[in-house]
Amino acid sequence: MEINSRRTFFGKIAAMAAVVTGASKLFAEQTPTGGALTPGSATMGGPGGDRPRRAVGNHTHNGIYYFSGTGSNDGYPKDDHVLVTDPFEKHVTRTMDALKKSVERAGCTMDSIINLQVFLCLPLADGVPMPTGKARFDAHKAQYDVLNKIYGTYFSPGKAPSRACMALEWIPGDSLIEIVGRAIVVNPPTPPAPPAGQ
């Protein structure tokens, strides 16, 4: 069984639990207000390579934009993906750039972000030794320090949202960082015009 994201994994677990318990649905992913997802919408991302890899979980509800995991390869074409062996600074900058694009497409600003959960991991790659003990703590602390230097540049002074930061063993999509959160919609995007004749 190939698991390409935690969302897929937990969705399968929920489906199995529903079958075992006889429940029709334990939970369902909410679709955005206004109907189905359409290419180029705030939920699906922009055309072509500008589409986030897990955008289907992004949605707006009651004026709040909820965004699923945004990583360092979201919004970039396959031929421009970073590797887990690339510098952590590059992962953070690309992730923050992708996050900024995502919230702006949804009618938010970086300063209208309410809170974030930031997940970090060390590179899991052949030929890269995994530190242990205090060396592992120091490696995560070094990542945390780099994150803080770059992170603060994306917000106006005093406007950085509340944030939790956690270290994990693995993040999908060859990213060393992933961000989840929500933002207040300050300028709702204009819905696409219906096709001519409708």
Side-chain angles (χ1 to χ4, degrees):
M1 173 172 85
E2 182 180 326
I3 299 173
N4 60 9
S5 73
R6 288 182 299 278
R7 182 179 322 285
T8 302
F9 173 74
F10 288 116
K12 289 179 182 179
I13 294 297
M16 288 188 289
V19 168
V20 170
T21 63
S24 59
K25 274 190 182 177
L26 289 179
F27 59 85
E29 187 171 303
Q30 181 178 359
T31 57
T33 308
L37 302 175
T38 57
S41 71
T43 9
M44 289 299 289
D50 195 28
R51 181 175 183 246
R53 66 189 149 94
R54 290 183 303 273
V56 74
N58 297 352
H59 64 277
T60 299
H61 180 70
N62 290 337
I64 304 292
Y65 176 57
Y66 298 85
F67 44 92
S68 59
T70 301
S72 56
N73 287 317
D74 287 318
Y76 297 91
K78 286 249 185 228
D79 60 351
D80 188 25
H81 278 197
V82 294
L83 305 174
V84 294
T85 52
D86 285 331
F88 185 67
E89 293 86 348
K90 187 171 186 178
H91 282 264
V92 174
T93 300
R94 286 170 56 106
T95 300
M96 293 301 292
D97 287 346
L99 175 62
K100 186 174 188 294
K101 286 179 187 176
S102 175
V103 297
E104 287 176 352
R105 276 193 303 266
C108 308
T109 66
M110 292 298 282
D111 291 346
S112 75
I113 294 175
I114 301 168
N115 73 329
L116 297 173
Q117 294 176 12
V118 180
F119 304 95
L120 310 174
C121 75
L122 298 173
L124 292 173
D126 293 338
V128 177
M130 183 58 68
T132 59
K134 183 167 179 346
R136 189 177 188 121
F137 171 84
D138 291 343
H140 281 301
K141 176 69 169 78
Q143 283 184 322
Y144 184 74
D145 292 341
V146 167
L147 167 68
N148 285 337
K149 285 180 187 171
I150 298 170
Y151 177 89
T153 65
Y154 283 82
F155 304 97
S156 299
K159 296 286 188 176
S162 64
R163 180 189 82 184
C165 192
M166 295 149 273
L168 305 173
E169 289 294 314
W170 174 77
I171 293 173
D174 290 332
S175 185
L176 298 180
I177 179 173
E178 184 166 297
I179 299 177
V180 177
R182 56 194 172 147
I184 297 171
V185 176
V186 292
N187 186 21
T190 306
Q198 287 189 1

